[in-house]
């Protein structure tokens, strides 16, 4: 969900009563977007509340809260996309696009046939990077909630989530009865994983992992918002 009735740049802050901008956000507003003192933007706490603010005066100017704090109810059901680790910068692409679409939780995981695996130190670095990507994407798309970017999980733990389902070309049509969708690795699902969890079909074509994640998110968010008339 996005701020309604307000336009302009959008940022996230820790406290909407005392709006303090991060240095990188202040730089973005004043240098990249060329906001002037008194210009308006919106700020959100990342948990559903937002308000209109005005840029203060001076090089270290903070924001002056303007409008009333508005709370936006979270859409239901909560949508989770789990994706098996993939190569290169493709995890960042997945997180960026799923955040823009409004997915609530995004969880990278390892499966039996995963080609990519992150060691502990690498997992910490990549998770921090993915959370930064999600924040930037949420600002760009004017979300009022930041998605939860989970630590790297395994298939077995994600399979226990209520309504969890695999994405598979042989599966049933998707629905909001299964709001947690797991996208398999480039090596495909193992026999054990297929036996553990049912499947939905998100395309009649064989998709790359990142494409499948974005397709699943697009379908589920469209169902949830009522754009398709299907739930």
């Amino acid at each position: 969900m996005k701020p309604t009735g307000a336009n302009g740049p959008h940022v996230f802050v820790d406290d909407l009563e005392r709006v303090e901008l991060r240095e990188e956000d202040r730089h973005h507003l004043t240098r990249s977007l060329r906001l002037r003192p008194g210009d308006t933007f919106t700020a959100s706490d990342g948990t559903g509340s937002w308000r209109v603010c005005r840029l203060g005066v001076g090089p270290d100017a903070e924001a002056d809260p303007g409008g009333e704090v508005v709370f936006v109810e979270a859409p239901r059901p909560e949508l989770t996309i789990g994706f098996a680790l993939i190569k290169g910068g493709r995890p960042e692409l997945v997180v960026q696009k799923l955040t823009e679409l409004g997915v609530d939780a995004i969880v990278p995981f390892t499966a039996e046939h995963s080609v990519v695996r992150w060691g502990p130190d690498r997992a910490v670095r990549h998770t921090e990077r993915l959370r930064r990507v999600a924040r930037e994407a949420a600002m760009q798309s004017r979300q009022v909630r930041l998605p939860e970017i989970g630590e790297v999980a395994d298939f077995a733990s994600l399979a226990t989530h209520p309504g969890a389902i695999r994405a598979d070309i042989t599966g049933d049509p998707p629905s909001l009865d299964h709001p947690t969708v797991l996208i398999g690795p480039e090596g495909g699902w193992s026999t054990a994983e297929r036996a553990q969890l049912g499947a939905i079909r998100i395309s009649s074509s064989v998709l790359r992992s990142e494409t499948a994640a974005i397709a699943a998110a697009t379908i589920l968010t469209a169902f949830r918002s009522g754009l398709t008339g299907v739930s």
Side-chain angles (χ1 to χ4, degrees), residues 18-57:
R18 180 180 173 81
V19 179
E20 297 182 353
L21 299 173
R22 293 187 183 184
E23 181 59 35
E24 62 267 29
D25 294 336
R26 184 186 299 109
H27 184 275
H28 180 66
L29 292 175
T30 59
R31 300 295 180 85
S32 301
L33 300 181
R34 299 184 181 278
L35 262 64
R36 305 286 186 179
D39 287 347
T40 60
F41 61 94
T42 53
S44 171
D45 62 4
T47 60
S49 295
W50 67 277
R51 75 187 310 170
V52 174
C53 300
R54 293 185 181 278
L55 190 65
V57 179

Side-chain angles (χ1 to χ4, degrees), residues 81-92 94-95 106-120 122-124 126-127 130 149-155 158 182-189 208-210 213:
I81 301 291
F83 68 95
L85 293 174
I86 46 182
K87 298 176 183 178
R90 290 151 64 195
E92 284 86 348
V94 170
V95 168
I106 306 167
V107 187
F109 71 94
T110 55
E112 286 190 34
H113 293 169
S114 289
V115 176
V116 177
R117 297 178 185 271
W118 294 345
R122 189 179 181 193
V124 169
H126 279 278
T127 300
L130 294 180
I149 307 299
E151 306 286 345
V152 178
D154 56 38
F155 174 84
L158 287 179
L182 308 185
I183 308 299
E186 294 153 311
W189 297 111
R208 293 172 66 104
S209 296
E210 65 270 31

Side-chain angles (χ1 to χ4, degrees), residues 98-160:
L98 268 54
T99 299
E100 291 175 6
L101 287 164
V103 170
D104 302 290
I106 306 167
V107 187
F109 71 94
T110 55
E112 286 190 34
H113 293 169
S114 289
V115 176
V116 177
R117 297 178 185 271
W118 294 345
D121 291 342
R122 189 179 181 193
V124 169
R125 293 195 306 272
H126 279 278
T127 300
E128 291 175 353
R129 168 63 181 158
L130 294 180
R131 287 171 178 160
R132 290 195 298 271
V133 169
R135 185 178 186 274
E136 293 167 1
M139 288 170 56
Q140 185 276 327
S141 56
R142 297 179 59 78
Q143 306 286 345
V144 296
R145 283 184 168 76
L146 288 168
E148 177 186 350
I149 307 299
E151 306 286 345
V152 178
D154 56 38
F155 174 84
S157 63
L158 287 179
T160 63

